[in-house]
Every structure is written in structure tokens, then in C-alpha cells.
Amino acid sequence: MTPTPGSVAPTGGWRSARVAAVDRPGPAAVRLRLDVADRVSHLPGQHYVVRLTAPDGYTASRSYSVASAPGDPLVELYVERLVDGEVSGYLADVLEPGDELEVRGPVGGWFVWDGTTPALAVGGGSGVVPLVSMLRHARDTGRPELLCLVGAARTAASLPYAEEMLDGCTLVALSQEDSPAGRPAGRLRAADLAPLVDGRDAGFVCGSAGFAETASQALVAAGMPADRVRVERFGPSG
Amino acid sequence: MTTRGFTGRPRRSDPRLPPGQYDVGDDWPVLTAEVTPGVDLATWRLVVDGAVGQPSSWSWDELHALPVERVDTDIHCVTTWSKLGTSFTGVRVDHLLAAAGPLPAATHVLARSVTGYTTNLPLADVTGGRAWAVWEHEGRPLPVPHGGPVRLLVPHLYFWKSAKWLERLTLLTADEPGFWERYGYHDRGDPWQQQRYQGD
């Protein structure tokens, strides 16, 4: 694990973002399209912080991965709605187009793919969101072959961005049903990843702490050197 | 700027909670940027080197022979969760530094993990009984995903400063950014000042 100096750092301070669109792809998710004032372009994999402020000055902030490509004029965030989620609940139930949000970003210079090196990216559940940004960027730049994408979820219906992922992934592993491409139901294993590692300079793993632990170890077992694997673990953050 | 329609959770006035943080309760999220390493305690040593008179190192057993203490504290992650009223067991960094003898010119320390992760701290933040090398959490061996066998504990700063899988403390005569600090996180990381990112 050797940090590369000079990677994009955040960000300056808080910016105002106008909500251009809100949609709810499922009962437990909300997708926001934001027009960010004076936006600094992100790299696929980075996230934004969203801050909500109550009338008495109380604030709550959470981080959400960016799903949009750098070339998209808007910033797209996919937010999993958590039970009792203070921020995700607000975003899912109250926010409307035309509202203003305070955001800060892009944040995070480590879990990023610059779109120029062959990479293998593995995402579980809402951990596929930053990988969607990578996928869209690879297509925008005409280099889809640089990105080998693996998506994992319980079912196809619970996979965020299912349509794009099923179309763009080299492998979709579903634990509770056979995948549309025919992979039998079952958790992602090293044997799934072993044929995909060769020639990939970097590995990216994103998901819950449990998924990230299992998938990153599987990636190493499949032959990817541990020091080439970058991991983003999502915590429960409301 | 007030957010339309946002009221937030009922306000808690727990004085232990820094601004912008929430209480994660019994949970303890795992947030790590790299593959969790395996550490072989038969060969592992904790090293103190750099701007010191006597570079020193301790095996697992030698570390346990130093004065061990239990630390009751709160921890605060930059991602806005805090864990209140928890405990760790280990040895004060003061004891390690006393053996190695920091040179008068030493001003900072760079903590390093077996994974290569680094984080920088002013010397004043790891001395005076404010930092420990710890191997137990609430009386049990520190779980590997949380940095076991041994992690740094600097509870008065955001928790990325408390390097997991600790193997080395290198004393420096000038500040040098560590892993997250190079990626734009704050150099010091005081949760009471909300020093999350550069410029805060």
C-alpha cells in the first residue's frame, strides 16, 4: 500500500447544490442528481459529503459515493435508505427537485480509478455505486476493456443499477438465485475471481465491512497482490 | 444554510460527543483502505526509530513486560461516528519513547502499519499519557479487523490517527504527511475542532 503523492485532494469548503432530480429505484434507495455550484471534477471512486442543517443550527453529515462519470454535468449520488437513517431517511422521504443541499467534495484520493490502467473492480450491494462511476467513465472515454467489473448481491432485484451492471459486468454473482448469465446461486468466491485477475494492475473492492473483508481476501487468494488492492468499506452511517 | 424540511434526531446533550458526531452505541464500524493483513506474532516487533538516541524494538512478550494499563475512553471517527465509554489495554507510548530517547530536534512521529499505512502526529500528541500501543479491547484480544494484534490508540484525535496493525513509530524532525493526510485529510485531526479535511 503505497500512496501516490499528488492525487486529488478535497475540496475546499461547502458548496451549494441544487437538486435537479430525485428518483427512488426501490423501497430502500434514493438517487439524487445534483447541480453543484463551482464543481470540482471527481475521479471515479470518490465521494461527496452531504450536510443537512435544522432550523436550530443542528447539522448531520454523511458521505455518499458518486455514481456519475466525471463527464456528466451533474453529480449523481445513490443513497441506501437505512432504518431510522437520519440523513438517508430525509433524502428518501422529504427531498424534492429544486431543493438546495450543502455538499463538500469530491473527497478521497485513494479509492479512485483514473481510467488509464487495467483494473478489476468488485462491488457488493450498494458498494457497486462507485463502480458504476468507473463503468460510465470507461465507456465515456472509449476504453471499456480497461475495466473488469464484478457485481455481487443477494438477488438481481437488490443489485443497485442492475440494468447497467448486468450489461457492463464481466461477472455478476448472486447469492440467492442464479444470475441471468447462468452463474449458479452462491456467494462470491476466489474461484470466481481467479480467471479475471491476469493483466489487471489494480484491484478495487467496495461494500459492507463483511463483504469487503471477504471479497478482498478472495481477490488476494485469486492472485492479486495485496498491495494492489484498494478497499472501501461502508459503515452503517444513517 | 437551513435545509428545507430537516429537523434531525432528538438532540442529545452528551458532553462526550464532539460536534458533528453521533453515538454508534455498541457497534464498532470497520473502515480500512487496504486488505486486512495477517501478522505473525512470532516475528513481529514494534520498532521506535528515526530521530532517537537509541533505536529500540519490542517483541510481543517484551511489550507485555512494560507497564500495562487499561484506558477508558471515547473514540471518534472522521466519518462522524463516535463510540463512547469503551476501553483498551496496552502500554503508553511514553514508555516506548523513554527507552528510545527522542533527540531534542524531534517534533513529530510517523506511525506505520505492516500494510504500509502511515499517519503523522505531533510528538506532543503522543506523549504525556495521551497515546498507547494497545492489544486488548474491553478485556479481549483486539480483533484483527480493528487493528489487532497491536494498534496505536490516540483517542483525543480522529481515529484514522490510531494506526491499525502497528509496527513502527519513526520520530521526525519535521512534519511529514501520512497516508490520509496526503489525500487531503487534516494534518492534526482534533474532533473538537472538526479538523476533518485540510483547511478545516
Side-chain angles (χ1 to χ4, degrees):
Chain A
M1 176 174 185
T2 308
T4 312
S7 283
V8 189
T11 52
W14 295 95
R15 289 182 165 79
S16 174
R18 189 183 57 81
V19 179
V22 181
D23 78 313
R24 295 169 180 82
V30 58
R31 191 161 46 189
L32 315 178
R33 301 267 301 163
L34 304 176
D35 188 1
V36 179
D38 303 319
R39 178 160 80 94
V40 174
S41 187
H42 66 277
L43 287 170
Q46 289 190 292
H47 62 271
Y48 266 74
V49 184
V50 174
R51 179 167 73 180
L52 309 181
T53 303
D56 66 352
Y58 169 86
T59 63
S61 304
R62 301 289 186 272
S63 296
Y64 299 110
S65 289
V66 178
S68 46
D72 190 326
L74 300 178
V75 170
E76 182 173 318
L77 306 179
Y78 179 101
V79 177
E80 193 174 9
R81 188 198 199 293
L82 302 177
V83 176
D84 280 338
E86 181 180 34
V87 176
S88 64
Y90 170 84
L91 298 175
D93 299 343
V94 182
L95 193 73
E96 295 175 355
D99 281 341
E100 296 278 328
L101 282 178
E102 276 183 303
V103 301
R104 195 172 187 191
V107 182
W110 168 247
F111 192 85
V112 296
W113 181 58
D114 68 3
T116 65
T117 54
L120 171 57
V122 183
S126 58
V128 306
V129 174
L131 278 49
V132 169
S133 178
M134 296 179 186
L135 174 64
R136 291 172 170 181
H137 185 55
R139 286 179 170 163
D140 285 356
T141 55
R143 301 296 303 277
E145 77 285 356
L146 286 177
L147 187 66
C148 178
L149 205 56
V150 176
R154 285 189 295 279
T155 61
S158 68
L159 180 69
Y161 294 94
E163 199 171 312
E164 273 180 85
M165 291 293 287
L166 288 168
D167 183 48
C169 278
T170 305
L171 172 72
V172 170
L174 303 174
S175 61
Q176 295 180 2
E177 63 189 31
D178 296 351
S179 79
R183 179 189 179 276
R187 288 178 179 276
L188 186 70
R189 296 171 300 133
D192 289 311
L193 301 176
L196 308 178
V197 166
D198 197 34
R200 301 287 157 182
D201 291 347
F204 295 90
V205 175
C206 186
S208 67
F211 175 84
E213 184 65 25
T214 304
S216 61
Q217 298 291 354
L219 199 48
V220 173
M224 176 77 73
D227 62 3
R228 295 196 192 167
V229 180
R230 300 181 179 212
V231 186
E232 180 106 317
R233 290 167 167 87
F234 285 1
S237 60
Chain B
M1 185 193 92
T2 302
T3 312
R4 183 196 62 80
F6 177 70
T7 52
R9 284 182 180 140
R11 310 293 185 261
R12 297 195 185 91
S13 56
D14 194 320
R16 298 174 296 174
L17 213 51
Q21 297 293 111
Y22 71 95
D23 180 1
V24 79
D26 290 334
D27 287 345
W28 190 6
V30 173
L31 297 164
T32 312
E34 70 271 53
V35 179
T36 303
V39 177
D40 181 2
L41 282 178
T43 55
W44 175 89
R45 295 187 76 81
L46 179 57
V47 175
V48 177
D49 63 3
V52 295
Q54 179 65 51
S56 302
S57 71
W58 293 262
S59 69
W60 173 251
D61 288 339
E62 289 163 352
L63 201 60
H64 284 65
L66 295 172
V68 173
E69 65 186 298
R70 177 179 143 138
V71 186
D72 291 288
T73 190
D74 311 319
I75 56 178
H76 312 291
C77 177
V78 70
T79 65
T80 72
W81 60 262
S82 291
K83 187 170 178 58
L84 304 175
T86 193
S87 74
F88 296 86
T89 304
V91 60
R92 285 188 188 196
V93 169
D94 293 290
H95 294 304
L96 308 176
L97 295 181
L103 299 180
T107 57
H108 291 78
V109 62
L110 192 71
R112 177 177 291 272
S113 301
V114 301
T115 61
Y117 176 88
T118 55
T119 188
N120 55 312
L121 300 119
L123 199 49
D125 276 315
V126 298
T127 50
R130 298 213 288 169
W132 296 261
V134 298
W135 51 81
E136 281 183 10
H137 174 246
E138 298 189 346
R140 295 197 183 87
L142 184 64
V144 174
H146 288 298
V150 176
R151 78 178 295 162
L152 187 63
L153 175 69
V154 192
H156 68 284
L157 299 178
Y158 283 127
F159 216 43
W160 89 79
K161 295 287 185 180
S162 294
K164 295 178 178 181
W165 314 302
L166 185 65
E167 70 163 13
R168 190 175 295 266
L169 297 171
T170 300
L171 277 82
L172 307 172
T173 56
D175 198 9
E176 177 183 310
F179 176 77
W180 284 122
E181 293 82 7
R182 288 198 214 180
Y183 286 123
Y185 283 77
H186 198 275
D187 221 34
R188 178 146 186 269
D190 180 349
W192 296 96
Q193 306 292 323
Q194 291 214 67
Q195 293 171 339
R196 300 177 195 273
Y197 306 111
Q198 283 171 18
D200 286 350

